[in-house]
Amino acid sequence: MNEKEKEEEKLTSVVEIIKSQLITERADLKKLFNDWIGSRDELWRQADFKKLHISNLETSKDNPYFARIDFTIDGEDGKHVIYIGKHGVMMDSNIVVTDWRAPISSLYYNGDLGRASYEAPDGTINGDLSLKRQFEIEKGQLLDYYDVDLVSNDQLLQKYLNTNNDARLKTIVATIQQEQNDVIRKPLRKNLIIQGVAGSGKTTVALHRIAYLVYNYVKNIRQNQYMVIGPNPVFLKYIKNVLPDLDVSGVIQYTFEDFVQEYLDEDFIIKPSENKVNDSILGKKTNDIDKFKCSEKYEKMLNLFMNTYIELLTSNDLSIGDFVILPKEKMQYFFNGVLKNKQFSSLKNMVELTINRICNYIEMHHDSISSSFFDYRYNKFKSATTDKEKTDLTKEAEKIRSELNKNFKSTLRKYFNKATFSPIKIYKLFISMIEDYNIYNYKDIKELKKTTNKSFKENSFDFEDLSALLYIKNIIAPNKQYSNIRHVIVDEAQDLGEFNISMLKKSLPSATFSIFGDLAQSIYDYRGVDSWERLNSEVFDNDAEIVNFNKSYRTTAEIMNVADDVAESIGLNRSDLVVRHGNNVSFHQVDPQDNLNYIKNKIEEFKSKGHKRIAIISKTEEQSQELNNKLKSVNLNIPNISLADDLSFEEFDICTISNQLAKGLEFDAVIINNVDEYNYSSDSDLDMKLLYVAITRALHDLDIVYTDELTKPLNKTKAKQRTKIIN
């Protein structure tokens, strides 16, 4: 029996094991519903677990594993032959297929043939790696296999990269590269910042990292203790099918805006950021007020106000009527004593503790306070001249004595009622007094106050106000619902500012973070991160590890060279290419009157090549909407075309989409419309970043359309391409 026949026999036996388990598991599920006695919640919990296991077995039946390693552990006789798959498969107590997330599976991704080791729960395991084999399996049949050394630039990876896309992110367990695997398998306690060029697999690695952590920390951390912060709802819907495919469910997913609303638990409106971005894209001056609200200066002004606000809580005597129980100096003494104790993290807790301490003090000094009260009452009576005055004084005195003896805690709470625990109310108070806290002499402070107050009247807030609200919330009363979150993935993090990420970190105190982004794709020039090193220093106290992904796997070398020319024009570094070649990028100058027909013909050409997902990318939302309307209105008979702001767009074959929404997505083929110098100005860093984003959405084919003068960086690219063809 030759080697291929042996592997075919192995595959057949594994598939039969899986089929047998499927029969058993389906029967068990039916029996579970028929025989269940107990709570409905527990029934559904167990049923969901069974259904997930059945789903995994169904997947494994067609493709049970993708790799094999042979490893001999030092000091043991005989080698371990380990088959690695997306899901583990057991028979009785024996491992038939090892889960890709298991510690020993790291040998497949990182180990060179020869001496090798991996980290197990009990320590480092050393030995000899004698075989690394990759399999192509389809519908339970062995198509081919390859013996490799490194999982890099090999046959399986090339075939995967050249496969047409189906609009959704894919699991990459068979082709994870070493630098990706290193990030995926970093310990939970580690904060990470990953700078990755377009197409380097940032998002996919992020989701596989969650899957890895879920698998390896299952005893200590529930799946709903992981969180993903994504850039927009379209993106979150785009990734939704990947996590269940990786045995992960229940992970919390938010945009930053949604998180703030949930965390504050107050009713208010958040204005969409798109209009401001569009203004910036269209060359309008960025609102300096928004930039200031995202700055450290604004945070420090807010901090100064909050310190004053806290001081004002004890700025009056504690009185019942005009009887002073404790002077303000004594109240400040008690409150400041609590403030110095860092154990109590929220203002609400501090107020409650102060109330308890003062109550204890009043109880201990009840006799002396009573004596003061009798003196107060005697002096009052002495000055009374009528019976009515004496009667009123008697009633007042009785009320004071009752409060002192029975309801003193409620009296104290009334004293602290001036302390609101609504971040919105406190922020409004800050804005009303902001001129008093303008320590930096910000020139537009009156306009800031005016525009913000205008939003308040509509019960709305700009994105740039959200971090301030989180800042206040975390001082007065942090939301304990989120105190158990253990790890947070932030994708497209370059479009969040340091203030935003800092507030996420403070709002999720038990969490470590994996920050994924690309500075070349930053489109929010007034609020985004401009340096990962600075973010590490200012937010993570230099405790985060910065990792660079410089290889692009999404696009061909031809497409990435064009993107790199654009990036280089604004001083950004070129990527390290994965050697996957394809068609040259097409540059087409068209008559404006013929633009729609040209796009229709190009779509038909792409579809004839077998491309399933095609995007027509425009610079702005307005341009995308206008193009979509025109393509539909002129009866060009383009089937299944949708506008990408519709969350159902992934169900369509073709979509019109703006640069903004295209971030993080990928398509088989891309048409970028109106790539003229006047539309994508070479003098604008923002325009070049937007163009870079658009170019790098293409997996296989890219067509660049212009009507007048091609934007200057691409003019050079086009010339270089023409020279290569001539030579």
Side-chain angles (χ1 to χ4, degrees), residues 9-60:
E9 186 178 43
K10 174 68 177 180
L11 177 59
T12 300
S13 70
V14 173
V15 170
E16 288 303 315
I17 290 170
I18 293 170
K19 287 179 178 179
S20 174
Q21 289 188 7
L22 271 169
I23 295 170
T24 303
E25 289 294 322
R26 286 179 182 135
D28 286 349
L29 180 61
K30 186 177 180 179
K31 190 172 185 297
L32 181 68
F33 279 101
N34 290 337
D35 299 346
W36 183 260
I37 301 174
S39 74
R40 186 176 293 273
D41 287 346
E42 180 61 19
L43 169 62
W44 285 111
R45 190 190 69 79
Q46 292 195 28
D48 286 345
F49 180 80
K50 281 278 185 189
K51 287 175 182 176
L52 178 62
H53 187 47
I54 289 169
S55 175
N56 290 343
L57 287 171
E58 282 284 4
T59 303
S60 298

Side-chain angles (χ1 to χ4, degrees), residues 461-495:
F461 294 84
D462 289 318
F463 181 96
E464 293 71 39
D465 294 311
L466 301 184
S467 289
L469 291 173
L470 279 181
Y471 182 91
I472 296 168
K473 176 69 175 176
N474 280 297
I475 288 176
I476 59 173
N479 192 330
K480 293 182 180 179
Q481 178 185 340
Y482 297 92
S483 61
N484 67 343
I485 299 296
R486 297 296 304 280
H487 194 74
V488 181
I489 298 288
V490 183
D491 207 1
E492 301 292 343
Q494 74 279 349
D495 289 335

Side-chain angles (χ1 to χ4, degrees), residues 156-174:
L156 192 61
L157 176 61
Q158 292 296 318
K159 287 189 177 185
Y160 173 85
L161 294 173
N162 282 304
T163 301
N164 285 343
N165 186 262
D166 66 357
R168 297 180 180 88
L169 289 167
K170 299 177 182 178
T171 59
I172 58 168
V173 293

Side-chain angles (χ1 to χ4, degrees), residues 705-716:
V705 182
Y706 61 103
T707 59
D708 186 17
E709 180 190 357
L710 185 64
T711 187
K712 291 177 183 177
L714 294 190
N715 250 324
K716 295 177 182 178

Side-chain angles (χ1 to χ4, degrees), residues 480-524:
K480 293 182 180 179
Q481 178 185 340
Y482 297 92
S483 61
N484 67 343
I485 299 296
R486 297 296 304 280
H487 194 74
V488 181
I489 298 288
V490 183
D491 207 1
E492 301 292 343
Q494 74 279 349
D495 289 335
L496 295 177
E498 290 174 14
F499 196 7
N500 304 133
I501 297 173
S502 175
M503 289 304 103
L504 279 175
K505 189 170 179 293
K506 287 182 179 176
S507 303
L508 305 164
S510 300
T512 51
F513 284 74
S514 293
I515 307 289
F516 292 81
D518 180 13
L519 298 181
Q521 299 183 61
S522 178
I523 63 172
Y524 295 87

Side-chain angles (χ1 to χ4, degrees), residues 479-586:
N479 192 330
K480 293 182 180 179
Q481 178 185 340
Y482 297 92
S483 61
N484 67 343
I485 299 296
R486 297 296 304 280
H487 194 74
V488 181
I489 298 288
V490 183
D491 207 1
E492 301 292 343
Q494 74 279 349
D495 289 335
L496 295 177
E498 290 174 14
F499 196 7
N500 304 133
I501 297 173
S502 175
M503 289 304 103
L504 279 175
K505 189 170 179 293
K506 287 182 179 176
S507 303
L508 305 164
S510 300
T512 51
F513 284 74
S514 293
I515 307 289
F516 292 81
D518 180 13
L519 298 181
Q521 299 183 61
S522 178
I523 63 172
Y524 295 87
D525 58 340
Y526 59 92
R527 76 173 192 228
V529 174
D530 55 16
S531 166
W532 298 123
E533 286 76 16
R534 178 178 167 84
L535 179 71
N536 188 18
S537 169
E538 296 297 319
V539 177
F540 292 99
D541 297 323
N542 290 315
D543 187 47
E545 180 182 349
I546 300 176
V547 180
N548 289 295
F549 285 175
N550 294 320
K551 290 182 179 178
S552 177
Y553 300 97
R554 176 187 296 138
T555 64
T556 63
E558 289 76 10
I559 294 171
M560 203 62 206
N561 274 324
V562 175
D564 281 340
D565 284 345
V566 172
E568 200 170 50
S569 74
I570 54 174
L572 298 171
N573 295 329
R574 301 181 74 87
S575 62
D576 295 333
L577 295 176
V578 170
V579 184
R580 179 172 74 94
H581 288 281
N583 299 323
N584 280 330
V585 175
S586 299

